Amino acid sequence: IPPCDSLPRARRDLHMDPTYSLTVSSPTNIALIKYWGKRDAKLNLPINSSVSVTLNQRDLRTVTTVTASRAYSEDRLWLNGVEESVSASKRLQAVFREVRKRAGELRDPKTGEVHVRQGGWDGYHVWVVSENNFPTAAGLASSAAGYSALTFALAKLYGVPESLAGELSCISRMGSGSACRSLAGGFVAWDMGSKADGTDSRARQVAAETHWPELQVLVLVISDTKKTVSSTAGMQTSVETSALLAHRAAAVVPARMERMEAAYRARDFAAVAELMMKDSNQFHATCLDTFPPVFYMNDASRAVVRLVHALNDACGAVVCGYTFDAGPNAVLLTLKQHMPMVLATVAAYFPPRRRIANTLASKPDVIAAVKAARLPPSLAAKYPLPPQRDVVSYVYHTDVGPGAMVLDDADTLATPEGTPKRVGTVPWYMQPVSAEDALVFALKACCVIIPVAMVYRRCR
């Protein structure tokens, strides 16, 4: 099959059996009204609806290549160059199973020739190579990007008919609840539904990514390590022990969802920011109400909260809003006109370990605007704390973007045999820092090590 942006390519270089390969990308998303708690853990059915913004794949995304062949004896998956067991994951198995149930035919888009007929997929197994360009399992919705990419890629590979496209939302939800919101771009709601089989629990696009181009997003990565309590474990404990969670789902979220959707459609930033901050606070209050309590935010997270409120007070208007998912990392929303000032404020009070000039090296216009920005004169009085260096590791700057998409063949992550091109690769956020940053770190280390060594010698 000739290269095509909507159908897998065919090759005959693996034991003379044809292989069919396809590469897609899918974004992460940040919930402004949170989903927390499941009424059915097996189907990933939530106890409340939620809504999120889809982040631009230019900055944060998962890329996934899927390759199918009869020469393969089993399904396999590599994430960031490390193989993970498909058979040991019920969520992965559910996505594979549900997509295969809906498999169509694989047809050459130019000649119309059918290469795999509907019902002719028996004996085919799939190898999956997936990479994130942002930390995994650190509270940045990596599972949403990963499972939406996997679902979308398998659906394209297996020729799932367009008439069943709406069901992909339900399939990706079975892998990771919030993944259903990453299939679409812009502003996306996940309606909780009421049916026992979950067929009405699916995502719905509220507004396209082009609706609000002025909206900007800053992600402050405070920790890129895997969280100690997973979202799945945390929400299950909350369902079992938190009275506040039940009240939130029944009495608060429905009205808040209506107000949030209306505010976003109207591009009312002050209303959107206030609602997202209140919902984030209540979500984490629910985690504290869980027994034993679950702690996702840390001292640095709470300091960011205080800074945002101080900045809004100093500006005399709501210029920034925050939200925290199940992790310590802060996501700030602002408008394009305020973004340089907001980012300059972050750089002044939380100088990141990886300098903003390095993180945003591909955005010289943003760096120039940040350098020229001036902080509100009264901010120092409203937030009279010294800068906290290195509590923020690095900062992403992005905006609202599109949903899952098919990439060119040149973007494949797999070799002709279907294995990863890069095995055990180190993501950029784990790569060595610049020489300048390394020197600063070494000097700081010396300031600690030398006095300790002197004390040790005296004690001897």
Side-chain angles (χ1 to χ4, degrees):
I1 301 178
C4 175
D5 64 359
S6 61
L7 202 66
R9 67 184 186 280
R11 299 180 298 217
R12 288 186 175 273
D13 51 8
L14 190 71
H15 309 298
M16 298 308 292
D17 280 312
T19 62
Y20 303 99
S21 184
L22 181 81
T23 300
V24 308
S25 69
S26 192
T28 185
N29 69 75
I30 297 298
L32 305 188
I33 304 295
K34 311 293 187 185
Y35 128 72
W36 195 249
K38 302 173 184 178
R39 60 183 174 91
D40 187 313
K42 182 178 180 181
L43 296 177
N44 263 355
L45 302 180
I47 64 171
N48 66 268
S49 298
S50 57
V51 68
S52 62
V53 289
T54 302
L55 302 188
N56 201 314
Q57 296 184 54
R58 176 191 61 236
D59 304 295
L60 297 103
R61 68 175 183 172
T62 294
V63 176
T64 297
T65 297
V66 289
T67 306
S69 175
R70 281 199 172 103
Y72 301 156
S73 59
E74 62 179 345
D75 296 324
R76 300 176 69 184
L77 181 145
W78 291 265
L79 175 60
N80 294 330
V82 178
E83 185 165 9
E84 300 194 359
S85 174
V86 174
S87 60
S89 172
K90 293 181 179 180
R91 297 194 297 172
L92 286 172
Q93 291 182 49
V95 172
F96 275 91
R97 180 183 66 249
E98 295 302 318
V99 170
R100 282 169 169 152
K101 282 182 181 179
R102 296 160 175 80
E105 60 184 20
L106 185 62
R107 184 184 294 270
D108 190 310
K110 294 186 176 180
T111 67
E113 179 185 358
V114 176
H115 288 267
V116 181
R117 297 188 178 278
Q118 186 172 9
W121 288 98
D122 289 346
Y124 279 92
H125 287 92
V126 177
W127 288 4
V128 181
V129 181
S130 190
E131 291 182 3
N132 300 329
N133 70 346
F134 60 96
T136 301
L140 293 176
S142 59
S143 61
Y147 274 101
S148 60
L150 176 64
T151 303
F152 188 69
L154 290 175
K156 292 293 184 183
L157 178 71
Y158 277 95
V160 174
E162 288 297 323
S163 60
L164 301 179
E167 297 184 19
L168 299 187
S169 176
C170 297
I171 297 173
S172 61
R173 183 205 71 221
M174 295 176 70
S176 171
S178 55
C180 67
R181 298 192 306 251
S182 279
L183 289 171
F187 196 58
V188 184
W190 173 15
D191 296 323
M192 60 177 289
S194 58
K195 295 181 179 179
D197 62 2
T199 53
D200 60 345
S201 181
R202 58 177 62 190
R204 165 178 54 85
Q205 188 182 58
V206 177
E209 61 270 20
T210 56
H211 175 73
W212 202 351
E214 296 81 14
L215 200 63
Q216 304 283 288
V217 182
L218 297 173
V219 182
L220 280 54
V221 180
I222 293 171
S223 172
D224 55 15
T225 58
K226 188 173 182 179
K227 53 198 174 190
T228 56
V229 180
S230 70
S231 298
T232 300
M235 68 175 66
Q236 183 58 38
T237 307
S238 293
V239 168
E240 295 170 354
T241 64
S242 173
L244 177 58
L245 178 67
H247 170 75
R248 164 182 157 77
V252 179
V253 171
R256 188 171 280 171
M257 282 284 294
E258 291 184 9
R259 293 198 300 272
M260 178 63 86
E261 290 188 29
Y264 195 94
R265 288 193 181 99
R267 303 185 187 89
D268 184 345
F269 180 79
V272 168
E274 181 178 335
L275 286 167
M276 67 183 274
M277 290 188 286
K278 287 182 175 179
D279 195 77
S280 177
N281 294 343
Q282 188 181 62
F283 158 57
H284 287 278
T286 297
C287 293
L288 291 176
D289 188 53
T290 299
F291 192 82
V294 181
F295 303 99
Y296 288 119
M297 296 174 67
N298 58 23
D299 288 343
S301 309
R302 289 182 282 272
V304 171
V305 169
R306 291 193 292 270
L307 178 62
V308 169
H309 284 291
L311 178 61
N312 288 336
D313 287 345
C315 291
V318 179
V319 299
C320 182
Y322 58 78
T323 188
F324 294 81
D325 277 350
N329 303 315
V331 178
L332 307 183
L333 254 62
T334 187
L335 296 175
K336 191 173 293 185
Q337 68 203 70
H338 302 307
M339 190 279 299
M341 178 192 63
V342 173
L343 187 48
T345 300
V346 170
Y349 286 93
F350 298 98
R353 187 176 305 128
R354 189 180 182 95
R355 296 194 311 156
I356 287 177
N358 294 342
T359 307
L360 304 182
S362 62
K363 300 178 178 181
D365 55 331
V366 173
I367 295 174
V370 171
K371 289 181 177 179
R374 295 292 178 265
L375 275 55
S378 63
L379 179 59
K382 294 182 180 296
Y383 189 82
L385 299 178
Q388 299 184 47
R389 294 186 177 276
D390 297 340
V391 299
V392 172
S393 296
Y394 46 90
V395 178
Y396 290 104
H397 164 255
T398 188
D399 52 9
V400 183
M405 61 180 68
V406 178
L407 302 181
D408 295 333
D409 287 347
D411 295 312
T412 182
L413 302 177
T415 65
E417 292 74 29
T419 55
K421 286 183 177 180
R422 298 179 288 274
V423 178
T425 53
V426 179
W428 75 265
Y429 51 84
M430 296 176 60
Q431 293 173 358
V433 297
S434 66
E436 179 182 350
D437 290 343
L439 178 60
V440 171
F441 177 81
L443 291 173
K444 289 180 178 179
C446 288
C447 291
V448 174
I449 294 172
I450 292 174
V452 170
M454 292 175 67
V455 171
Y456 175 74
R457 289 187 63 183
R458 288 177 188 152
C459 291
R460 292 183 65 188

